[in-house]
Amino acid sequence: MNRLSIVLLSAFAFLTPPNLAGAQDAFGNTADPKIALPGLTEYAPADSAADGAAVRRTVRMEAALTEAGEPLKYGLTWRIFHPTPGPDGKLPLLATSEGGSAEFEFEPGDYFLHVAFGRAGVTKKLTVPKDGPIEKQHIVMEAGGLMLNAVSGIDARIPVTQLRFNIYKAEEGIDGEQQLVVEDVKPNTIVRLNAGTYHIVSDYGSVNAVIRSDIRVEAGKLTEAVIQHRAAQLTLKLVAEAGGEAIADTAWSILTSGGDVVSESVGAFPTIVLAEGEYTAIARNKTKVYQRDFTVVAGRNEDVEVLLN
């Protein structure tokens, strides 16, 4: 019943935008989901790390979206881990920093460095020598942004409260399931992601208007995507005559053309969103049952009246 349809509106480069004060400004309205560290999903809190008295060396770090991009000035989260797990099996977290470029003091040795920019993240091994020069750590994030919205039918705007997106990795995991990256993303929210292809699930309402699409995020660019839902919003009414006042205390069941129940509710005029197709509305009031067949046309929001007679 659902037909997949997606329109990619634009992909804006973050590298040299002419109308922005800085390339990073395009990331302004950004979702802030919890970060799952690649390869470092468990770690001990910072106070579990041992303090050393050895001479420390300064290491400076910066990160950019692409190889040719300018260093990011804000939005980064840096984490430094000891490479040896503690007694609990977790990597001790030694230090953190938030903002743009960072600077840390290290004892000579090996460490794990992780930098996150929204949901985009990079992990690398860092070796600090006892002497000699130490190069600035320049991390290439290979990250971009994704901003989602949707319409119903050709161009009917969908209320923000009725729309949500879940973002998954496109490839399946070892269990055959796609890994959830960010859930419950609101329209027009920029989500920062590693470059790659993602599987988007768009829900319009809470019944059966669901569209799935694969979208590619390019490094250094903001991809804006508008998903086209084949659905409409309906208001159910049990009336004595066409255009009459809705009768209260009515129980509703909506069946597909195949006889499957997709929605049940109680009220004088409940509102639901349905994917386009053929349905039957069944209204129960007191001891009487009434019904009507109707068709949902994408983007055409309307009342569905069931007559007492």
Side-chain angles (χ1 to χ4, degrees):
M1 191 180 302
N2 293 333
R3 290 186 293 178
L4 182 151
S5 178
I6 180 164
V7 181
L8 290 181
L9 292 185
S10 53
F12 296 116
F14 288 149
L15 305 179
T16 55
N19 297 321
L20 297 176
Q24 196 176 348
D25 291 347
F27 283 113
N29 181 22
T30 304
D32 188 24
K34 294 181 179 180
I35 304 296
L37 306 182
L40 299 170
T41 54
E42 289 190 340
Y43 54 87
D47 59 7
S48 70
D51 292 329
V55 175
R56 294 173 178 265
R57 308 200 67 194
T58 300
V59 181
R60 295 175 176 83
M61 305 174 183
E62 64 182 19
L65 292 176
T66 63
E67 187 66 51
E70 294 293 324
L72 295 167
K73 296 180 180 179
Y74 58 86
L76 295 172
T77 299
W78 300 87
R79 295 179 175 91
I80 307 299
F81 296 88
H82 196 286
T84 304
D88 57 0
K90 299 179 180 179
L91 295 178
L93 175 64
L94 302 178
T96 63
S97 177
E98 295 186 0
S101 300
E103 185 176 290
F104 293 96
E105 298 290 330
F106 291 94
E107 297 177 9
D110 294 329
Y111 301 88
F112 280 124
L113 159 66
H114 180 272
V115 57
F117 185 60
R119 275 295 310 174
V122 173
T123 301
K124 67 171 292 186
K125 185 178 181 180
L126 171 66
T127 298
V128 179
K130 293 181 180 180
D131 49 33
I134 301 178
E135 293 184 356
K136 178 186 290 186
Q137 299 297 305
H138 179 76
I139 309 299
V140 179
M141 302 295 298
E142 287 296 325
L146 177 63
M147 185 164 66
L148 300 166
N149 210 330
V151 295
S152 178
I154 302 300
D155 58 0
R157 186 173 289 183
I158 297 175
V160 173
T161 56
Q162 294 269 35
L163 189 61
R164 69 167 188 161
F165 303 93
N166 290 333
I167 302 176
Y168 296 83
K169 289 186 176 181
E171 65 275 9
E172 295 181 352
I174 57 176
D175 58 356
E177 300 292 330
Q178 290 173 310
Q179 180 182 340
L180 178 66
V181 178
V182 192
E183 65 179 340
D184 199 19
V185 177
K186 302 302 181 185
N188 296 322
T189 299
I190 297 175
V191 183
R192 299 175 288 198
L193 299 164
N194 288 109
T197 302
Y198 294 86
H199 185 71
I200 312 300
V201 179
S202 176
D203 289 276
Y204 175 22
S206 58
V207 181
N208 65 348
V210 181
I211 295 293
R212 298 174 179 270
S213 306
D214 285 343
I215 299 176
R216 179 162 183 80
V217 174
E218 297 185 35
K221 295 183 180 181
L222 170 62
T223 299
E224 293 188 36
V226 177
I227 293 174
Q228 186 180 46
H229 274 275
R230 308 298 301 176
Q233 181 171 286
L234 295 310
T235 300
L236 307 174
K237 296 180 179 180
L238 178 63
V239 295
E241 58 184 6
E245 184 175 352
I247 299 173
D249 300 323
T250 301
W252 294 91
S253 295
I254 304 300
L255 282 62
T256 66
S257 57
D260 297 322
V261 177
V262 294
S263 175
E264 292 184 318
S265 57
V266 177
F269 38 85
T271 299
I272 61 171
V273 175
L274 295 173
E276 68 177 357
E278 305 293 330
Y279 297 89
T280 299
I282 298 177
R284 299 176 180 84
N285 186 268
K286 297 181 180 179
T287 60
K288 299 293 184 66
V289 177
Y290 312 89
Q291 73 178 55
R292 172 195 165 184
D293 295 334
F294 66 97
T295 301
V296 176
V297 178
R300 185 185 297 173
N301 301 335
E302 59 186 356
D303 294 343
V304 175
E305 294 184 340
V306 179
L307 297 176
L308 290 178
N309 59 354

